[in-house]
Amino acid sequence: MKTDILIIGGGIIGVSTAYVLAKAGADVTLVEKGEISSGASYGNAGYIVPCHSNPIPAAGVLTQGLKWLLDPESPFYIRPTFSPDLLRWLWQFQKYCNAKAYWRAIPLIHDMQRESLSLFREWIAAEKIESYFRENGGLTIYKDARAFDAVCKEVEELRAYGIHFDILDTKALQALEPLIRDEVIGGIGCETDAYIDPALFVRALAEKAVQHGAHILTKTAVLGFEKNGNEIKSIKTTQGKLDVNQVLLAAGAWSTKLAKELGIDLLMQPAKGYSITLTNPSALPSRYLFLGKSKVAVTPMGEKLRYAGTLELDGYDLSINKRRLGALRKAGDTYLHKIDGEENPEIWAGLRPVSPDGLPYIGRSARVSNLVIATGHAMLGIAMGPFTAQLAAEILLQQMPSFNLSPFKPERFC
Ligand SMILES: Cc1cc2nc3c(=O)[nH]c(=O)nc-3n(C[C@H](O)[C@H](O)[C@H](O)COP(=O)(O)OP(=O)(O)OC[C@H]3O[C@@H](n4cnc5c(N)ncnc54)[C@H](O)[C@@H]3O)c2cc1C
């Protein structure tokens, strides 16, 4: 079997690129080892939040992270292990935990999200996709005075980058969202943010991509590559061999393993997070809520309510730490009036693909000439997904990319 463009990975990045390419009339095939949207793009918080464009590395993050290691319910954990890959990643990561790198990344992530938000709007309207996409913004709320003061200062600095928040006291917050408890001392609101049910969106978009002519092969895992010089000739999969002209690597956290097969050192760590989804909660907030210091996202998705959070560096292990999982709803009950749900809500764990500088990898490989890479979107892969897809498609179609991709070079840590 032969295809012009082969996409590896059926998450938001791979599916959105298949959609853009199929619409442009390209001969495109996507292979996914499981079902569409069964990786990180399934149970995440669904935020599309240009107002929250902070990269993970920031001044003080490492000190805070070390303190959190001692707390079994903290939102952050690193399994103590001697892994040369983890140590190398941490070594690079600490180089970006400073104000200069942080403020350099914010406008890039902000632009990627803003462009994606317009594409979400456009695609959802054009294809009539029902995925509970809502653009009525959200509130980030605080019980802790120091954390609230720090965020208020940052809000002032963000104005210079064109990012605007409203600073709100308890009464103003409760007027917008009556579920907020009196213990919350203040918060920030951003009316231009949005949220979505990510799996509904990605699965519906995959169907549309097929209608536009894309081929999608699920339960088809890529096992390796056959090369001719510095070009991939064919892909070995669990369902046989596929000859290709070009390849897009969009396998999320697993991209590092596949890149290694091609001799590319794509420095990333899988960062595990959890979610709990209630099907018929006793109450639903009217917009997304982010529980500031606890770092828990609470998102209404139609009749469902999702709590999502935690970041664990624990390799590719997807097992669930019950204590940290429980901390998500426990935090919810301290910021919000109690929300009841069914006895056995849907529990999920997923792996974010995280680069050391908090920026994605988007671009053509310098080492393998017919390979394009699009991954490493960390906490914001849904939010940056559609525009990443447009950029990846432009590269694959030999067009001039409509965004400066030099900060996203895939081999920048090689
Ligand atoms: C708890 C949590 C909350 C989050 N909240 C948000 C949020 O609110 N907003 C936001 O923007 N982002 C959020 N994220 C991050 C977001 O989920 C990811 O950045 C995004 O889903 C990554 O998409 P992807 O397509 O790169 O990877 P994935 O969705 O992981 O897709 C990669 C796919 O590749 C497939 N694959 C892997 N190896 C192979 C192989 N060998 N052969 C074939 N297929 C293969 C996998 O099965 C998988 O389906 C959150 C993540 C977590 C864990």
Side-chain angles (χ1 to χ4, degrees), residues 202-241:
V202 175
R203 287 175 181 170
L205 196 69
E207 280 174 22
K208 299 296 173 187
V210 171
Q211 285 168 20
H212 287 291
H215 303 279
I216 293 190
L217 308 174
T218 54
K219 298 197 177 74
T220 306
V222 172
L223 303 172
F225 304 88
E226 276 178 15
K227 278 172 66 185
N228 187 1
N230 68 345
E231 259 192 29
I232 302 169
K233 260 180 53 203
S234 57
I235 309 278
K236 291 179 268 176
T237 79
T238 45
Q239 307 299 327
K241 206 172 91 172

Side-chain angles (χ1 to χ4, degrees), residues 8-14 31-35 37-41 44-47 220-222 250-254 258 271-275 308-309 348 350-353 375 377-384:
I8 307 174
I12 180 115
I13 307 296
V31 289
E32 161 55 51
K33 69 176 176 170
E35 298 297 339
S37 203
S38 55
S41 301
N44 61 71
Y47 284 13
T220 306
V222 172
W254 296 270
L258 289 166
K272 183 163 62 176
Y274 302 131
S275 69
W348 173 82
L351 301 174
R352 307 171 181 94
T375 185
H377 297 75
M379 331 261 273
L380 290 167
I382 299 299
M384 293 194 265

